[in-house]
């Protein structure tokens, strides 16, 4: 049996049409003009406004675009691996709902909750099924409806997080293309610094949890910043060393769009050229599981077959990691 790698053959993305500009949040929360852009690097973000519309709606649009670009029917998909921290409901899985909505009638489907690093985990898991010749077409999605868990008077979470996401199609390809290496780690000591308290089995939903605003995201941004930069630089450095790469060898660094300060500080520590870093946090905010696929979607027209991409993310848990891949096709405009 010939060795194969999991290669990206199509990219799709989706952001809701409703744009929330900084001015609206500054007025609503009595925030000084310019503060959001200066400290978070965000100009605008997208929210789903329709009632009863969840993360699956984002994924359906991205999935249909991917299938259209690749020229396949959803019914040909063998598997769907979906990363999200904001599932439509506790059960069934959001990937199950997406499979139903797009007509992926023979696909095995599973959700991954790795928060901001979830898409890397989903890529790694999906790639194993390709490498072992179990599946041919594996759809990997990452999306979140963060507007469903932000609120109250917390300036950072209310101004930073947003809705959106995307995904890629993985297929078998030659060993000199596709996913080459993945580095993933977890440190549970950070569990109390970034979380949603209520709604699970430990603190089920009740009138008290709603009144206490325990269904909103809590984040200790100051405590997270230094740890995020440390772990991001660690995972990127480790991945480059394992693959005998330098910053000059990488065509694109694709960081999770946590906020502009974390991206800038990580690049500074690594002495990574600014022009090689994908960025769109200014237009979309932090879409958690959705940021990396949205970057690939945004930059697809600039990607060329053979480009070396280094994906890196840090998220709740804490979880973090990096993934090195060689791009499989010339991008579409």
């Amino acid at each position: 049996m010939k060795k194969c790698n999991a290669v990206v053959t199509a990219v799709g993305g989706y952001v809701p049409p409703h744009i929330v500009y900084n001015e609206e949040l500054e007025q609503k929360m009595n925030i000084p003009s310019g503060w959001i852009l200066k400290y978070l690097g965000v100009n605008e973000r997208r929210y789903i406004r329709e009632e009863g519309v969840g993360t699956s709606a984002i994924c359906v649009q991205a999935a249909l675009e991917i299938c259209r670009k690749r020229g396949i029917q959803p019914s040909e998909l063998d598997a769907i691996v979906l990363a999200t921290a904001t599932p439509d409901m506790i059960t069934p899985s959001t990937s199950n709902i997406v499979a139903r909505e797009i007509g992926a009638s023979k696909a095995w489907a599973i959700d991954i909750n790795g928060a901001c690093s979830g898409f890397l985990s989903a890529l790694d898991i999906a790639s194993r099924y390709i490498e072992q010749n179990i599946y041919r077409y594996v759809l990997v999605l990452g999306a979140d409806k963060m507007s469903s868990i932000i609120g109250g008077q917390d300036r950072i979470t209310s101004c930073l997080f947003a809705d959106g996401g995307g995904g890629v199609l993985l297929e078998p390809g030659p060993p000199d293309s596709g996913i080459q290496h993945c580095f993933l780690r977890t440190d549970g000591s950070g569990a109390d610094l970034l979380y949603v308290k209520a709604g699970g089995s430990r603190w089920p939903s009740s009138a008290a949890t709603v009144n206490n605003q325990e269904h909103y995201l809590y984040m200790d941004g100051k405590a997270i910043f230094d740890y995020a930069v440390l772990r991001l630089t660690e995972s990127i450095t480790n991945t480059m060393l394992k693959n005998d790469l330098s910053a000059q060898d990488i065509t694109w660094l694709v960081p999770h769009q946590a906020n502009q300060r974390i991206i800038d500080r990580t690049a500074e520590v690594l002495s990574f050229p600014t022009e090689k870093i994908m960025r769109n946090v200014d237009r979309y905010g932090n879409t958690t599981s959705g940021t990396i696929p949205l970057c690939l979607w945004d930059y697809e027209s600039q990607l060329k077959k053979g480009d070396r991409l280094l994906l890196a993310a840090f998220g709740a848990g804490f979880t973090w990691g990096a993934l090195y891949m060689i791009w499989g096709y010339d991008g579409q405009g």
Side-chain angles (χ1 to χ4, degrees):
M1 187 179 295
K2 293 180 66 176
K3 184 182 185 306
C4 67
N5 274 357
V7 180
V8 173
T9 58
V11 177
Y14 179 77
V15 290
H18 183 80
I19 303 174
V20 178
Y21 296 100
N22 287 350
E23 291 76 13
E24 178 180 335
L25 295 177
E26 288 168 350
Q27 292 174 13
K28 178 181 178 182
M29 305 187 72
N30 195 27
I31 297 171
S33 177
W35 184 91
I36 299 172
L37 180 60
K38 179 179 179 180
Y39 287 98
L40 302 179
V42 181
N43 271 314
E44 59 189 65
R45 73 285 295 144
R46 308 293 184 101
Y47 291 165
I48 292 174
R49 288 302 197 194
E50 299 83 0
E51 186 176 348
V53 177
T55 299
S56 64
I58 298 168
C59 295
V60 165
Q61 294 301 317
L64 292 175
E65 179 185 1
I66 289 167
C67 290
R68 176 183 58 77
K69 284 181 175 179
R70 187 64 183 94
I72 65 170
Q73 296 299 315
S75 59
E76 297 179 71
L77 293 171
D78 296 301
I80 300 173
V81 184
L82 191 159
T84 187
T86 55
D88 280 24
M89 54 189 78
I90 292 177
T91 191
S93 68
T94 303
S95 57
N96 185 292
I97 296 170
V98 172
R100 178 192 66 189
E101 293 298 313
I102 67 175
S105 54
K106 72 170 188 176
W108 168 71
I110 187 172
D111 284 8
I112 302 296
N113 183 353
C116 296
S117 65
F119 187 69
L120 294 188
S121 299
L123 278 175
D124 185 55
I125 291 169
S127 70
R128 309 298 178 177
Y129 290 96
I130 299 288
E131 293 166 0
Q132 296 175 41
N133 293 284
I134 296 173
Y135 296 134
R136 178 182 178 185
Y137 294 125
V138 181
L139 182 64
V140 186
L141 300 168
D144 274 297
K145 182 186 174 183
M146 294 302 292
S147 63
S148 66
I149 58 170
I150 57 175
Q153 293 302 308
D154 187 290
R155 289 183 173 186
I156 302 296
T157 57
S158 295
C159 298
L160 178 61
F161 290 98
D163 306 341
V168 300
L169 184 67
L170 294 182
E171 294 183 55
D176 61 350
S177 187
I179 296 174
Q180 304 290 311
H181 179 85
C182 190
F183 172 92
L184 296 169
R185 292 292 185 271
T186 297
D187 178 1
S189 67
D192 294 331
L193 298 176
L194 182 55
Y195 65 90
V196 177
K197 180 178 180 178
S201 60
R202 187 176 182 182
W203 301 103
S205 302
S206 67
T209 64
V210 173
N211 290 335
N212 293 332
Q213 299 191 352
E214 292 171 351
H215 294 267
Y216 292 139
L217 180 70
Y218 168 81
M219 181 175 71
D220 186 336
K222 291 183 179 179
I224 290 171
F225 180 85
D226 289 338
Y227 200 89
V229 172
L230 173 66
R231 294 310 187 188
L232 281 170
T233 55
E234 170 197 83
S235 57
I236 292 169
T237 301
N238 176 284
T239 302
M240 289 196 296
L241 287 173
K242 290 283 187 181
N243 294 276
D244 194 26
L245 298 167
S246 67
Q248 288 68 38
D249 298 318
I250 301 299
T251 313
W252 291 102
L253 175 64
V254 191
H256 163 56
Q257 305 293 293
N259 64 53
Q260 193 60 58
R261 292 175 63 235
I262 288 178
I263 296 171
D264 288 344
R265 181 57 181 157
T266 301
E268 180 184 352
V269 172
L270 292 168
S271 298
F272 219 95
T274 301
E275 65 273 12
K276 289 188 172 188
I277 301 174
M278 291 189 185
R279 305 168 190 260
N280 59 17
V281 69
D282 61 317
R283 291 182 294 121
Y284 302 139
N286 183 339
T287 55
T288 305
S289 307
T291 70
I292 288 179
L294 275 177
C295 277
L296 297 176
W297 180 58
D298 254 4
Y299 283 76
E300 185 189 15
S301 63
Q302 301 182 49
L303 295 173
K304 301 291 186 293
K305 184 176 182 179
D307 281 355
R308 294 172 172 178
L309 274 60
L310 189 53
L311 287 52
F314 177 90
F318 293 126
T319 62
W320 67 93
L323 184 146
Y324 168 50
M325 71 162 67
I326 299 176
W327 198 248
Y329 65 98
D330 290 333
Q332 304 176 40

